[in-house]
């Protein structure tokens, strides 16, 4: 049943003040929260919240892995998980109340979304650094090694957030927009059950549509199972829909990846990305694949390949060149944008002393002084600093051992990567709290550049140490977003931390085997199906640092220079003319357009255009349903794509 009043409020409690009149001493922010907002012993991290969070987390983890291999981006999980769990469990509790009990409480749902969101923490590294290593070495890591690496990396990021939480959430009260949005979503769900049901219905309907599209497109062949055989006879949707009658340099547009695709995933992603970024992607893609590629072909910079007596150009041959300017745009713009946040960086490092001081404080819960008593009670529910010490130490030892045994990374360089991860995680978490943007890419590139000096010819060391930094920073910021939701709702931070930690194990157990299924060989990456743009960029930076620019074609060197300048100029123009930012090209959009097929950019633009028109002509309706509709499309099609891959691997589809 929906609660009639948000659980994050308790009007009977009054804030403590230090022992002085109210007009002389400000309210202690932590004690005020403990008295006014904290919900006491309300059920939060329970067995059922863990089970629901694990199931939804596994589903969203698979979806993020599939989408990440296509776009290099990860999608938000928390809000979708909240809607799904509310709708599913409320239905189950009505159908079988004796078995399932009442619906999840608001704080159980909050713990659930912590488990679900943390399950996806490792996917960003699988689709970037790990995929890049696969492209470089041409072979998969042993599954046990990869599982250990991903688990320890995400655990490291989770425990690294412990000393930061009280300072930047309790004291400074940074915004953390995504965490705040998740809290508001939960309040609206439990305050208005009918609205939640409508959103859930739209999400499930779009999941069904996405699943049908995926099945009709991917389930080709004659399966061994008779039921599946009947269904696959319906397969009619092509992978790509060509534009007939137009040729460039004697080749049809499809050879330049200029076409429409038989997929809705990128349409859904575009609905969430916005028109400015996707217009930049469309323009960049048309210039790259429709203008530059023919010129490069004429000058012998890229080449066609003969297949069955036919000259084939295709995505892989074009991106072999366009990767370099595209990567340069994204790297320089990411690092410059990060550098322009120097005030945030300074605040982050200047706050280290406060973090350590706060962790060292101890208060007496039995004290007669109300302030001291409240602070003592608060310590009982906050995550203890000893967990940070134990967790960081154990994860560091594990990562150093695996790094030395599996990747031949010296223990000294392994320890440095963990130290860098902690320092940069502090910056990443503060940036997330202030801007809602976690600069995971920038964190990884800073480490890659550092190890380009410390281990200049070792591509494996470069990639794997950077994966620690980027992965830990992303996991830390993810945890703090969840803890912000809990803070606003009055949740127990220690229980929420345990929910988050449990999700890292679930995500590892699901994502790593799925990665091997989706990418059985290195040849699966860098294709129309899985462009793996993040992996291409990480691989390109690592190889460039290892081999030097002189190893590249002269035109590629100029591409790096021009791309690097574009990546610098565009953020500076945004800074100089903020009023006109919406009319300026997006550096991220332009860079991404050069490393994914043109038809992906076309689909994303169409999705953003649909969302724009929807909000323009039906503003209230559009704002309410764009997220569940887009999330449903992405989840449905990506999950069916994973299912088809599993069925094919198991011999059910041939």
């Amino acid at each position: 049943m929906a609660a009639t009043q948000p659980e994050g409020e308790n009007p009977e409690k009054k804030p403590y003040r230090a022992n002085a009149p109210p007009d002389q001493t400000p309210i202690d922010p932590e004690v005020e929260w403990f008295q006014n907002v904290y919900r006491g012993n309300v059920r939060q991290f329970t067995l059922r919240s863990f089970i629901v969070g694990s199931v939804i987390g596994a589903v969203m983890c698979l979806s993020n892995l599939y989408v990440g291999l296509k776009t290099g981006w990860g999608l938000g999980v928390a809000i979708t998980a909240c809607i799904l769990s509310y709708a599913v469990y409320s239905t189950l509790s009505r159908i079988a109340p004796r078995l399932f009990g009442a619906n999840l409480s608001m704080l159980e749902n909050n713990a659930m979304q912590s488990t679900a969101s943390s399950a996806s923490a490792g996917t960003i590294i699988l689709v970037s650094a790990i995929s890049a290593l696969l492209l470089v070495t041409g072979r998969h890591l042993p599954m046990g090694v990869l599982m250990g690496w991903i688990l320890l990396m995400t655990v490291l990021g989770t425990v690294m957030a412990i000393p930061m939480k009280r300072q930047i959430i309790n004291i400074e009260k940074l915004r953390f927009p995504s965490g705040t949005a998740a809290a508001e979503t939960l309040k609206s769900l439990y305050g208005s059950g009918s609205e939640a049901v409508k959103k859930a219905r739209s999400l499930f309907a779009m999941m069904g549509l996405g699943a049908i599209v995926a099945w009709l497109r991917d389930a080709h062949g004659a399966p061994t199972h008779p039921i599946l055989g009947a269904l696959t006879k319906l397969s009619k949707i092509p992978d790509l829909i060509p534009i007939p009658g137009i040729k460039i340099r004697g080749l049809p547009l499809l050879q330049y990846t200029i076409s429409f695709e038989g997929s809705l995933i990128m349409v859904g992603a575009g609905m969430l990305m916005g028109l400015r970024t996707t217009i930049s992607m469309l323009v960049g893609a048309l210039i790259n694949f429709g203008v530059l590629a023919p010129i490069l072909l004429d000058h012998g910079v890229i080449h066609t390949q003969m297949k069955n007596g036919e000259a084939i150009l295709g995505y892989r041959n074009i991106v072999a060149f366009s990767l370099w300017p595209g990567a340069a745009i994204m790297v320089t713009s990411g690092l410059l944008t990060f550098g322009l946040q120097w005030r945030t960086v300074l605040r982050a490092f200047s706050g280290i002393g406060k973090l350590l001081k706060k962790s060292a404080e101890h208060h007496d819960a039995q004290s007669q002084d109300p302030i001291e008593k409240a602070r003592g009670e608060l310590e009982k529910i906050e995550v203890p600093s000893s967990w940070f010490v134990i967790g960081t130490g154990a994860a560091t030892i594990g990562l150093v051992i695996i790094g030395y045994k599996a990747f031949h990374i010296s223990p000294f360089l392994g320890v440095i990567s963990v130290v860098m991860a902690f320092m940069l995680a502090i910056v990443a978490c503060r940036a997330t709290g202030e801007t809602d943007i976690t600069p995971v890419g920038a964190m990884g590139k800073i480490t890659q550049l550092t190890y380009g000096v410390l281990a200049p010819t070792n591509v494996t060391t470069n990639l794997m140490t950077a994966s620690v930094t980027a992965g830990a920073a992303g996991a830390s910021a993810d945890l703090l977003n969840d803890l912000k939701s809990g803070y606003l709702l009055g949740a127990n931070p220690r229980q929420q931390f345990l929910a988050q930690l449990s999700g890292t194990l679930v995500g590892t157990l699901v994502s790593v085997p799925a990665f091997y299924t989706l990418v059985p060989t290195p040849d699966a990456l860098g294709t129309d199906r899985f462009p793996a743009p993040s992996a291409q960029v990480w691989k390109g930076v690592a190889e460039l640092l290892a081999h030097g620019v002189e190893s590249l074609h002269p035109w590629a060197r100029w591409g790096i220079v021009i791309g690097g300048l574009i990546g610098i100029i565009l953020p500076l123009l945004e800074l100089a003319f903020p009023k006109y930012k919406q009319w300026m090209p997006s550096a991220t959009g332009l860079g991404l357009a050069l490393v994914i097929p043109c038809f992906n950019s076309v689909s994303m633009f169409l999705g953003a255009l649909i969302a724009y028109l929807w909000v323009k002509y039906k503003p209230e309706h559009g704002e309410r349903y764009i997220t569940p509709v887009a999330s449903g499309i992405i989840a449905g099609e990506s999950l069916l794509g994973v299912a088809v891959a599993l069925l094919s691997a198991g011999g059910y589809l041939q």
Side-chain angles (χ1 to χ4, degrees):
M1 296 295 291
T4 57
Q5 176 179 329
E7 294 183 335
E9 299 176 3
N10 191 345
E12 296 181 359
K13 292 189 176 182
K14 304 297 180 185
Y16 283 126
R17 295 177 184 267
N19 296 321
D23 58 346
Q24 296 182 16
T25 304
I27 297 174
D28 182 292
E30 291 194 292
V31 175
E32 178 190 17
W33 175 84
F34 184 77
Q35 280 296 101
N36 279 353
V37 182
Y38 177 55
R39 298 298 302 165
N41 295 320
V42 175
R43 296 175 67 189
Q44 298 178 40
F45 182 44
T46 60
L47 177 61
R48 62 180 191 167
S49 75
F50 168 71
I51 293 173
V52 175
S54 297
V55 172
I56 293 178
V59 169
M60 301 308 295
C61 176
L62 293 174
S63 178
N64 256 0
L65 180 63
Y66 191 88
V67 173
L69 288 170
K70 282 183 169 291
T71 68
W73 289 9
L75 302 171
V77 170
I79 293 177
T80 300
C82 291
I83 296 172
L84 278 174
S85 70
Y86 180 91
V88 171
Y89 209 92
S90 62
T91 301
L92 293 175
S93 64
R94 287 195 299 269
I95 295 173
R98 291 186 178 181
L99 178 61
F100 294 99
N103 193 10
L104 295 174
S105 71
M106 183 190 295
L107 294 188
E108 279 185 295
N109 204 324
N110 179 65
M112 178 284 309
Q113 61 99 356
S114 294
T115 301
S117 61
S118 66
S120 295
T123 56
I124 191 65
I125 297 304
L126 287 171
V127 304
S128 56
I130 301 302
S131 293
L133 185 66
L134 178 59
L135 289 171
V136 170
T137 63
R139 63 180 184 275
H140 271 297
L141 295 169
M143 186 177 292
V145 170
L146 185 54
M147 276 191 168
W149 189 261
I150 295 296
L151 178 61
L152 290 170
M153 178 197 67
T154 51
V155 167
L156 178 67
T158 301
V159 297
M160 278 182 174
I162 292 173
M164 295 181 244
K165 185 265 179 182
R166 293 185 69 176
Q167 177 61 33
I168 65 179
I169 291 181
N170 295 17
I171 306 300
E172 298 182 45
K173 300 183 185 296
L174 295 189
R175 293 173 57 244
F176 285 95
S178 290
T180 301
E184 292 302 317
T185 298
L186 281 172
K187 288 181 179 180
S188 67
L189 289 176
Y190 283 83
S192 178
S194 61
E195 184 64 27
V197 171
K198 291 178 182 178
K199 288 182 178 180
R201 284 175 179 170
S202 65
L203 190 147
F204 283 121
M206 292 301 103
M207 283 184 70
L209 175 61
I212 290 171
V213 169
W215 183 267
L216 295 181
R217 184 191 64 244
D218 294 340
H220 298 291
T224 57
H225 195 286
I227 296 178
L228 296 177
L231 291 175
T232 50
K233 290 179 181 179
L234 299 175
S235 299
K236 296 179 181 178
I237 298 178
D239 291 331
L240 298 173
I241 304 170
I243 301 173
I246 303 177
K247 293 186 176 182
I248 302 177
R249 301 290 194 273
L251 296 175
L253 292 183
L254 188 61
Q255 293 276 12
Y256 297 93
T257 75
I258 302 175
S259 67
F260 299 98
E261 58 180 327
S263 170
L264 295 178
I265 283 184
M266 297 304 170
V267 174
M271 293 176 71
L272 300 174
M273 290 170 62
L275 203 55
R276 174 180 174 243
T277 300
T278 54
I279 288 176
S280 300
M281 292 180 66
L282 180 65
V283 172
L286 292 176
I287 292 174
N288 179 52
F289 293 96
V291 178
L292 293 180
I295 295 174
L296 295 170
L297 187 61
D298 281 348
H299 287 79
V301 180
I302 60 176
H303 306 277
T304 57
Q305 294 176 328
M306 297 303 296
K307 184 176 181 180
N308 298 326
E310 181 183 1
I312 302 295
L313 182 58
Y315 164 73
R316 184 171 287 182
N317 291 325
I318 298 173
V319 84
F321 171 85
S322 63
L323 160 69
W324 299 107
I329 292 173
M330 288 189 282
V331 170
T332 56
S333 64
L335 292 177
L336 178 60
T337 302
F338 175 72
L340 292 175
Q341 295 177 311
W342 60 270
R343 293 184 178 86
T344 296
V345 176
L346 288 179
R347 284 194 293 271
F349 287 119
S350 65
I352 292 178
K354 295 178 182 178
L355 298 178
L356 298 176
K357 180 181 178 181
K358 181 64 66 177
S359 297
E361 290 180 356
H362 295 286
H363 300 280
D364 183 9
Q366 305 301 320
S367 173
Q368 297 301 312
D369 178 67
I371 296 294
E372 182 68 14
K373 178 180 175 64
R375 288 173 175 164
E377 293 290 344
L378 189 64
E379 283 185 3
K380 293 181 179 180
I381 64 172
E382 290 288 355
V383 183
S385 57
S386 60
W387 292 14
F388 163 71
V389 174
I390 295 170
T392 302
T396 299
I397 292 171
L399 287 169
V400 168
I401 291 174
I402 294 177
Y404 178 71
K405 294 288 188 179
F407 309 120
H408 308 293
I409 302 172
S410 74
F412 174 70
L413 293 180
V415 171
I416 289 179
S417 71
V418 175
V419 173
M420 287 188 66
F422 179 63
M423 303 299 287
L424 294 177
I426 293 173
V427 177
C429 289
R430 181 169 288 275
T432 302
E434 293 182 357
T435 67
D436 205 32
I437 298 173
T438 306
V440 172
M443 301 295 98
K445 298 305 171 287
I446 289 172
T447 308
Q448 283 193 276
L449 294 173
T450 301
Y451 279 83
V453 176
L454 297 176
T457 61
N458 195 323
V459 174
T460 299
T461 295
N462 190 287
L463 289 171
M464 300 315 293
T465 53
S467 75
V468 173
T469 301
S476 293
D478 186 60
L479 171 61
L480 289 179
N481 252 323
D482 290 343
L483 288 175
K484 179 66 175 184
S485 300
Y487 179 83
L488 295 172
L489 298 171
N492 184 309
R494 188 176 299 193
Q495 291 193 35
Q496 194 167 1
F497 172 82
L498 292 174
Q500 183 93 10
L501 197 62
S502 69
T504 62
L505 177 61
V506 173
T508 302
L509 294 175
V510 172
S511 64
V512 173
F515 176 71
Y516 285 88
T517 300
L518 291 174
V519 188
T521 65
D523 293 338
L525 298 175
T527 62
D528 290 352
R529 179 175 172 80
F530 291 135
S534 286
Q536 303 276 11
V537 173
W538 280 61
K539 170 179 175 285
V541 172
E543 290 185 335
L544 187 64
L545 292 170
H547 305 304
V549 294
E550 63 274 3
S551 63
L552 299 177
H553 190 284
W555 283 45
R557 297 178 207 170
W558 278 108
I560 291 175
V561 173
I562 295 171
L565 289 175
I566 291 173
I568 292 172
I569 291 170
L570 289 178
L572 291 178
L573 287 175
E574 292 178 10
L575 184 66
F577 305 102
K579 292 183 179 180
Y580 302 100
K581 179 179 178 178
Q582 61 177 329
W583 305 108
M584 296 181 188
S586 162
T588 300
L590 286 176
L592 186 61
L594 302 187
V595 293
I596 63 175
C598 183
F599 50 75
N600 284 166
S601 297
V602 171
S603 293
M604 290 184 185
F605 166 74
L606 292 175
L609 182 61
I610 291 170
Y612 170 78
L613 295 175
W614 191 356
V615 171
K616 181 177 180 180
Y617 293 105
K618 296 282 186 179
E620 185 176 345
H621 192 266
E623 293 287 355
R624 188 179 304 163
Y625 290 107
I626 280 176
T627 297
V629 165
S631 299
I633 291 172
I634 294 168
E637 186 172 341
S638 58
L639 289 173
L640 237 294
V642 174
V644 168
L646 291 171
L647 289 169
S648 298
Y652 288 99
L653 295 177
Q654 296 180 356

